[in-house]
Amino acid sequence: MTEPVHRAAPHLPELELQRLSVHFGSVAALSRVSVTLPAGEITCVLGENGSGKSTLVSVLSGLRPHDEGQLLLSGEPVRFRSPRQARAAGIATVWQDLAVAPLLSIWRNFFLGAEPTRGVGPLRRLDVEKARETTVRAMARVGVTHLDPDQPASTLQAGARQSLAIARAMHFGARALIVDEPTAPLTVNQQTLLLQAIVAARTQGLAVLLVTNNPRYAHLVGDRFLLLAHGSVAGLLTRDDVDAADLMRLMAGGEEFNALTEALTALHSELGDR
């Protein structure tokens, strides 16, 4: 079985949101959000609790269809009604509370449901050696080395578990990667493993969206930064626009972020009066 690898042309909008809105009753969880997620770039999403980050992840991963606007995949409108549809379209999501089958080996978790086989007909059987070798190579590609693929997945530290999911997405040809940063605190080494895997996905040409509350880590890997406030875009910045200290001030609720939020609220009020 050859390894499916997707390499998109760099800097093309693999995913694009055009005035996308999601409503829960009368509450707008997302309101007219427009942003492009180019292939080969990392877009970091930052914002306070309730800013719309989780809803954005839900839409992209197929958990919640959008109500208004458009979601484009390589220029074609899509509307996901289930996570299976999103995965089939090439969008892989790494969740905050990533679950693995702890008693199964690392390689079995990597290939769960898609195990390589050899032989035909009644002689067809699981190709364990190929599965082990492929798992080790794929994990090394995202920075996890000296791995025993037969170890239970429960032996992986937190950052390596997310790396396993990212390596799997890359191996099986994902076009876009959505990473919902773990809520549990990670050590520096664990965070380094996760960021290495995210950078590896960018290098392979995936469009990466990283949801994080850590502006310092965001600036280390991010190419652009989407700031959300009250479900709307409060800012869309690039590395040329801000440094790590700027992002930290924005996330700390400094004057710049307050000004963005006030301007955004005023704009929505004007639009609503029309």
Side-chain angles (χ1 to χ4, degrees):
M1 185 179 74
T2 58
E3 295 187 16
V5 175
H6 173 78
R7 289 183 175 85
H11 309 302
L12 295 177
E14 192 71 55
L15 273 172
E16 184 174 2
L17 285 67
Q18 294 183 346
R19 299 179 66 80
L20 189 140
S21 297
V22 174
H23 299 279
F24 294 100
S26 60
V27 178
L30 289 177
S31 179
R32 295 186 289 274
V33 172
S34 295
V35 64
T36 60
L37 306 179
E41 291 192 13
I42 298 172
T43 301
C44 296
V45 182
L46 302 103
E48 297 178 343
N49 291 337
S51 62
K53 302 191 303 295
S54 296
T55 303
L56 178 60
V57 172
S58 295
V59 170
L60 295 176
S61 64
L63 282 175
R64 173 65 163 88
H66 55 281
D67 297 314
E68 299 171 4
Q70 283 192 315
L71 173 61
L72 304 178
L73 180 62
S74 295
E76 295 296 324
V78 292
R79 185 178 180 83
F80 301 131
R81 298 188 180 276
S82 70
R84 178 175 294 182
Q85 286 185 350
R87 289 194 300 268
I91 299 178
T93 304
V94 180
W95 299 99
Q96 286 183 345
D97 53 350
L98 178 68
V100 297
L103 298 182
L104 292 183
S105 65
I106 295 170
W107 72 261
R108 281 195 175 275
N109 273 273
F110 185 89
F111 279 104
L112 200 58
E115 292 81 358
T117 58
R118 59 181 175 179
V120 294
L123 299 178
R124 190 175 183 183
R125 60 192 185 278
L126 181 64
D127 193 341
V128 176
E129 193 59 34
K130 183 174 183 62
R132 290 169 174 157
E133 293 174 356
T134 301
T135 300
V136 170
R137 288 199 307 270
M139 291 293 282
R141 192 178 300 141
V142 298
V144 181
T145 57
H146 308 294
L147 182 75
D148 179 359
D150 290 316
Q151 284 185 324
S154 59
T155 63
L156 290 173
Q157 57 180 299
R161 293 180 187 179
Q162 275 73 28
S163 298
L164 173 63
I166 293 172
R168 190 180 193 279
M170 291 168 58
H171 175 76
F172 286 103
R175 303 163 65 179
L177 179 69
I178 315 301
V179 181
D180 201 5
E181 189 180 57
T183 53
L186 300 180
T187 66
V188 172
N189 287 339
Q190 291 169 347
Q191 190 74 56
T192 298
L193 284 176
L194 176 57
L195 295 181
Q196 282 180 333
I198 291 170
V199 170
R202 173 179 62 187
T203 301
Q204 187 162 318
L206 277 69
V208 181
L209 184 140
L210 170 61
V211 178
T212 178
N213 288 318
N214 192 319
R216 187 180 298 277
Y217 287 141
H219 199 269
L220 279 175
V221 299
D223 298 294
R224 55 180 63 200
F225 310 97
L226 172 64
L227 306 178
L228 292 179
H230 308 306
S232 300
V233 177
L236 185 56
L237 309 168
T238 69
R239 289 181 65 87
D240 293 332
D241 299 324
V242 290
D243 58 20
D246 293 330
L247 283 180
M248 292 181 71
R249 282 196 298 271
L250 290 172
M251 286 299 294
E255 294 182 1
E256 298 95 334
F257 192 78
N258 290 335
L260 283 170
T261 303
E262 291 172 4
L264 189 63
T265 303
L267 176 60
H268 286 172
S269 298
E270 292 175 5
L271 292 174
D273 294 337
R274 293 179 182 178

